[in-house]
Amino acid sequence: MLFEERFLEPIRTGEVTTTYRRWKAPQAKAGNRQRTAAGLIDIISVILVNPRSITDAGAKQAGYRTGQELRDDLRGRSEYSCYRVEFKTVDESDLLDELVDRTDFTAEELERLTRLTSWSLPVLQAIAAKPEVRAGDLAAELGRDTEKFKSDVRRLKALGLTISFDIGYRLSPRGEAYLAQAT
């Protein structure tokens, strides 16, 4: 889950524990753990809400002064549903942070990555050629559905091969090493 820079420290300190998102379908699930730029978070609940029902108190939990300020800043297509996502920060080191810088591969890791080659190499090559470009643009260039493309990038991120930005992605040092070996 991506958060604006201004929310990262309040999330880390536990001051911000909620976010509101417009999604075609929920992109988070209660009980799951997600990696963010603020660190790991556990998703507590994902609830469908009417944006007009967001109170000032609810907005404060999301880092806004008022409900109106939050509604004015709510991104996404207006025809999409609005979800309230409650979360808590996790006080653990993130093993992925260590993995992205590791450029050596065990035989088992290489075997696993090789099984993904049919779809992963074009995705990695597209990201390498056009870092920090919108997912929709990269997906279109590959003739892929944007949501499926994003899902595949999340799989690659979980393997330490990509890094997400507010807009687009980059290969991690591990991703660059793998791409160099695979091509």
Side-chain angles (χ1 to χ4, degrees):
M1 191 172 303
L2 295 175
F3 291 97
E4 292 178 44
E5 183 74 31
R6 65 186 169 131
F7 295 116
L8 299 182
E9 189 57 29
I11 290 170
R12 285 185 196 104
T13 63
E15 181 182 338
V16 169
T17 59
T18 303
T19 187
Y20 290 83
R21 303 292 170 109
R22 278 192 178 132
W23 290 322
K24 189 175 185 177
Q27 301 295 305
K29 183 178 176 185
N32 284 357
R33 180 168 284 179
Q34 288 197 4
R35 196 170 284 104
T36 74
L40 292 173
I41 60 171
D42 281 336
I43 307 297
I44 297 168
S45 65
V46 179
I47 301 169
L48 181 65
V49 298
N50 182 326
R52 292 184 303 252
S53 72
I54 300 170
T55 64
D56 290 349
K60 284 184 173 79
Q61 292 175 324
Y64 292 88
R65 291 183 300 243
T66 67
Q68 187 59 52
E69 179 186 21
L70 187 151
R71 283 187 291 278
D72 290 345
D73 196 41
L74 197 55
R75 297 196 177 131
R77 295 181 176 179
S78 61
E79 66 267 19
Y80 285 176
S81 300
C82 182
Y83 294 88
R84 178 185 185 272
V85 181
E86 184 182 356
F87 58 87
K88 67 178 181 178
T89 57
V90 178
D91 191 22
E92 288 181 14
S93 69
D94 187 350
L95 297 178
L96 185 61
D97 288 340
E98 299 168 19
L99 182 62
V100 298
D101 291 323
R102 236 188 70 224
T103 57
D104 58 319
F105 298 90
T106 66
E108 181 180 301
E109 289 171 327
L110 281 174
E111 181 182 329
R112 181 177 181 201
L113 291 169
T114 301
R115 287 193 306 258
L116 305 176
T117 301
S118 65
W119 64 266
S120 65
L121 276 180
V123 172
L124 291 170
Q125 289 167 331
I127 292 169
K130 295 188 175 179
E132 296 184 56
V133 168
R134 283 180 359 94
D137 295 339
L138 293 175
E141 285 184 20
L142 295 173
R144 307 256 330 261
D145 172 73
T146 300
E147 292 308 313
K148 177 64 174 140
F149 177 84
K150 287 180 176 181
S151 174
D152 286 345
V153 174
R154 284 191 294 273
R155 289 175 65 190
L156 295 171
K157 183 177 182 179
L159 296 170
L161 301 175
T162 64
I163 301 168
S164 295
F165 290 89
D166 285 339
I167 297 174
Y169 318 94
R170 281 189 176 273
L171 295 187
S172 68
R174 183 173 182 77
E176 291 171 353
Y178 174 70
L179 189 58
Q181 286 183 26
T183 54

